[in-house]
Amino acid sequence: MPSSPADGPTAPTTESGRAALDALVRAPSRALAAFDFDGTLAPIVADPRDSAPQPGIVAALTALASRLGTVAVVTGRPAATAVRLGGLDEVPGIVVLGHYGAERWSDGRVLAADPPPGVALVRAELPSLVESSGAPEGTWIEDKGRSLAVHTRRAADPDAALDLLAAPLAALAERAGLRVEPGRRVIELRPQGVDKGGALTSLVEERAARSVLYAGDDLGDLPAFAAVADLRARGVPGLTVCSSSDEVTEVADRADLVVEGPEGLVALLDHLTETIRGLGA
């Protein structure tokens, strides 16, 4: 058994992170742990429709949920899609906030407002825009219902394809009243006024959490990291975790703790659960 919460294979490198981890494991019933889906709970794949959870992650979440006040997923995907692909309905009491918080899945039900009209405009014009921009073979469009994303991971030169599309996609988003969300070889056009930071903060306030952990891997997770910093300033200890990759380094630079991708996150969750159990909390 670890002699302290910060011992073991993974430990925060910042004082704030260590304080948050200590608060979480010593009072787990008042803690909230939230996770991005793709790249964090599930490895990144060429086609997101083929996504599957990292082996062991559902079991690790289930074990942690039995000890923690709230376990949540905050994702850019539709909430029901993340639940289906991840088998997340196996985790008791989990809350899944989809479309950056515009949707909420819990107890088998999805609650969501109607998407703004700009999404329909983008849906109508995006295919011809991608074609007229000279996007290379392997570029494809994902329709998420409330947003649309252009993926270049399957192109011969994914980064060059993304650079080629950046300006025309930004212009279309501006015309539609949407925002551009860059990611790991993807650009998403989505509604204004929702992000993972706002979603996380609202859930923390709803659950009256006294400590918070957020884990992510991509640029869209940085608003949640910023929300953790704001919560710290309000007296709620917070820990940010990066599921690392070679594609995005900025997230690791901003994190209190870096783990080696989804596999490393499984080890971290197992360690947290064992530490909580060992402390008898």
Side-chain angles (χ1 to χ4, degrees), residues 135-273:
E137 182 179 354
T139 304
W140 66 283
I141 298 169
E142 179 187 11
D143 190 333
K144 298 184 178 183
R146 291 178 165 274
S147 64
L148 290 98
V150 180
H151 295 263
T152 64
R153 182 172 294 276
R154 297 191 303 215
D157 188 340
D159 296 328
L162 210 62
D163 290 341
L164 177 69
L165 289 163
L169 290 178
L172 176 59
E174 183 176 4
R175 207 155 41 81
L178 303 183
R179 65 176 290 179
V180 172
E181 185 70 60
R184 293 172 64 176
R185 294 173 176 171
V186 60
I187 295 176
E188 183 173 357
L189 282 67
R190 63 179 181 85
Q192 304 273 3
V194 289
D195 63 34
K196 292 184 179 183
L200 179 64
T201 299
S202 294
L203 190 60
V204 168
E205 291 173 347
E206 173 195 321
R207 298 300 174 99
R210 300 298 297 272
S211 63
V212 59
L213 176 155
Y214 183 84
D217 76 303
D218 206 347
L219 297 176
D221 296 302
L222 292 180
F225 278 28
V228 170
D230 290 340
L231 288 163
R232 285 174 179 166
R234 292 159 50 184
V236 179
L239 170 66
T240 54
V241 179
C242 172
S243 172
S244 68
S245 74
D246 294 333
E247 296 175 357
V248 179
T249 59
E250 185 178 352
V251 182
D253 293 340
R254 300 269 294 273
D256 301 302
L257 170 60
V258 178
V259 298
E260 293 296 326
E263 183 178 0
L265 185 66
V266 174
L268 172 63
L269 299 188
D270 288 344
H271 176 64
L272 286 178
T273 300

Side-chain angles (χ1 to χ4, degrees), residues 68-91:
L68 226 57
T70 302
V71 170
V73 171
V74 186
T75 175
R77 285 186 183 263
T81 300
V83 171
R84 174 176 55 83
L85 292 174
L88 300 177
D89 53 347
E90 297 180 22
V91 182

Side-chain angles (χ1 to χ4, degrees), residues 34-121:
F35 308 90
D36 167 53
F37 186 75
D38 294 288
T40 302
L41 298 181
I44 293 291
V45 292
D47 189 331
R49 293 169 294 189
D50 297 330
S51 183
Q54 174 71 28
I57 199 70
V58 173
L61 288 171
T62 298
L64 188 63
S66 70
R67 301 272 175 176
L68 226 57
T70 302
V71 170
V73 171
V74 186
T75 175
R77 285 186 183 263
T81 300
V83 171
R84 174 176 55 83
L85 292 174
L88 300 177
D89 53 347
E90 297 180 22
V91 182
I94 195 169
V95 175
V96 180
L97 303 178
H99 281 297
Y100 304 90
E103 291 184 351
R104 177 176 178 139
W105 181 98
S106 60
D107 298 324
R109 297 180 57 203
V110 175
L111 299 176
D114 292 335
V119 174
L121 172 65

